Amino acid sequence: MVAQTPDPAAFRAFEHAGWQSVVTAYRDAWGDLTSQAIEPLLDAVHAGPGVRILDVATGPGYVAGAAARRHAEVVGVDFSAPMLAEARRREPAVDFREGDAETLPFPDARFDAVVMSFGLLHLGRPEQALAEAYRVLRPGGRVGFTVWARPEEAVGFEIVLGAIHRHGRLDVPLPPGPPFFRFSDPDECRRVLTGLGFRAPEVVVVPQVWRHASLDGLFDVMRDGTVRTAGLLRAQTPAAQQAIRDEVREAVRRYQRADTVELPMPAILAAAAKP
């Protein structure tokens, strides 16, 4: 995506509006994929009985529910009321609250662990969110987050963004946000975490496979079940959209296994401790 000077306020408003309306599409399209990194994420923050965990950008509550099943004491927070409604429907025993990742509504040193499953990518000020995680952690507490690996590894992004580059425009009028793949670089994860005061950051790759029932599944999901990439796709002309769809369909064909498309979509998992 085109590098522009980020506008955190405009980008937050754009993301917030988007996540109000894609709850079902996101759940149906991304849930089975992003859930593959949940257990490694919870392991990285030592989630277990009695551990006080804050799940930031909880979305449909997948991580919060998994932590609760480990008998942790969990709170999930998200800025999207419709997402929280879905989370409460799925996990009625978990405490979910509306709130902003960049200004968490909790006192200092409240939690033993803070986790964020792919939420960092949707924030206008990701470093501020990690600083807030540091603030609400007790000394010795742990933070963990997941993001997507580089597009050449998380090939669904490479296929779609490459098709847009060849058949459409990347310089569309969307509110500029932070670079989408910034934290795909393990060194950047370590640099930011240590710069905020965390110690001993560890960064690993979590293998994941994204399965689609049809050759058009990837294009449809990116158009209907995302915010930033969907905005990029919808800003193209109808002719460009059709050309992009056609190229994406042909590109995913090589990942077809019998009646299923299987796309490699690894995650980057970073974790660190508060001194």
Side-chain angles (χ1 to χ4, degrees):
M1 299 183 186
V2 177
Q4 304 177 57
T5 302
D7 182 340
F11 184 73
R12 183 195 185 283
F14 169 71
E15 285 278 338
H16 183 262
W19 290 114
Q20 302 294 89
S21 59
V22 299
V23 175
T24 301
Y26 178 85
R27 179 198 65 204
D28 294 346
W30 295 89
D32 289 342
L33 173 60
T34 60
S35 294
Q36 295 172 41
I38 289 176
E39 295 304 322
L41 176 59
L42 292 176
D43 288 343
V45 298
H46 307 162
V51 175
R52 299 171 299 168
I53 295 180
L54 176 63
D55 179 21
V56 177
T58 190
Y62 300 135
V63 176
R69 284 184 282 281
R70 291 186 178 207
H71 305 289
E73 299 176 10
V74 191
V75 177
V77 64
D78 202 283
F79 70 171
S80 168
M83 278 290 187
L84 288 171
E86 173 65 13
R88 293 181 180 116
R89 184 191 69 80
R90 290 178 52 85
E91 304 290 346
V94 174
D95 179 7
F96 291 106
R97 307 183 192 181
E98 190 167 344
D100 194 319
E102 297 171 10
T103 54
L104 291 172
F106 304 102
D108 296 355
R110 168 68 177 79
F111 296 97
D112 302 310
V114 175
V115 293
M116 195 180 312
S117 174
F118 300 97
L120 206 62
L121 304 168
H122 305 290
L123 304 178
R125 299 185 299 165
E127 284 172 295
Q128 175 61 27
L130 291 172
E132 278 289 274
Y134 188 96
R135 179 184 66 80
V136 301
L137 279 171
R138 65 164 177 81
R142 294 184 63 80
V143 67
F145 64 83
T146 50
V147 294
W148 299 111
R150 296 179 177 93
E152 56 267 28
E153 300 167 276
V155 299
F157 289 109
E158 181 181 50
I159 289 170
V160 172
L161 295 176
I164 296 172
H165 177 74
R166 284 181 285 276
H167 299 288
R169 297 176 51 206
L170 294 172
D171 58 336
V172 299
L174 296 177
F180 190 76
F181 296 105
R182 174 186 175 187
F183 291 96
S184 304
D185 180 356
D187 289 338
E188 180 68 359
C189 294
R190 297 185 189 99
R191 185 193 70 79
V192 171
L193 288 168
T194 55
L196 291 170
F198 290 101
R199 61 174 176 80
E202 301 173 352
V203 184
V204 299
V205 176
V206 181
Q208 301 185 126
V209 177
W210 202 8
R211 294 176 174 86
H212 294 279
S214 76
L215 295 175
D216 282 314
L218 176 61
F219 179 90
D220 290 341
V221 165
M222 290 293 193
R223 183 195 59 192
D224 301 330
T226 65
V227 174
R228 201 184 323 196
T229 307
L232 191 57
L233 282 168
R234 291 171 180 167
Q236 310 303 320
T237 66
Q241 283 195 39
Q242 186 60 53
I244 292 164
R245 177 188 283 279
D246 291 343
E247 179 172 316
V248 170
R249 183 189 298 121
E250 288 308 306
V252 302
R253 193 181 298 278
R254 66 180 179 270
Y255 297 97
Q256 193 168 24
R257 306 291 182 268
D259 295 329
T260 304
V261 173
E262 298 184 355
L263 298 171
M265 290 288 288
I268 299 294
L269 166 55
K274 178 176 179 177

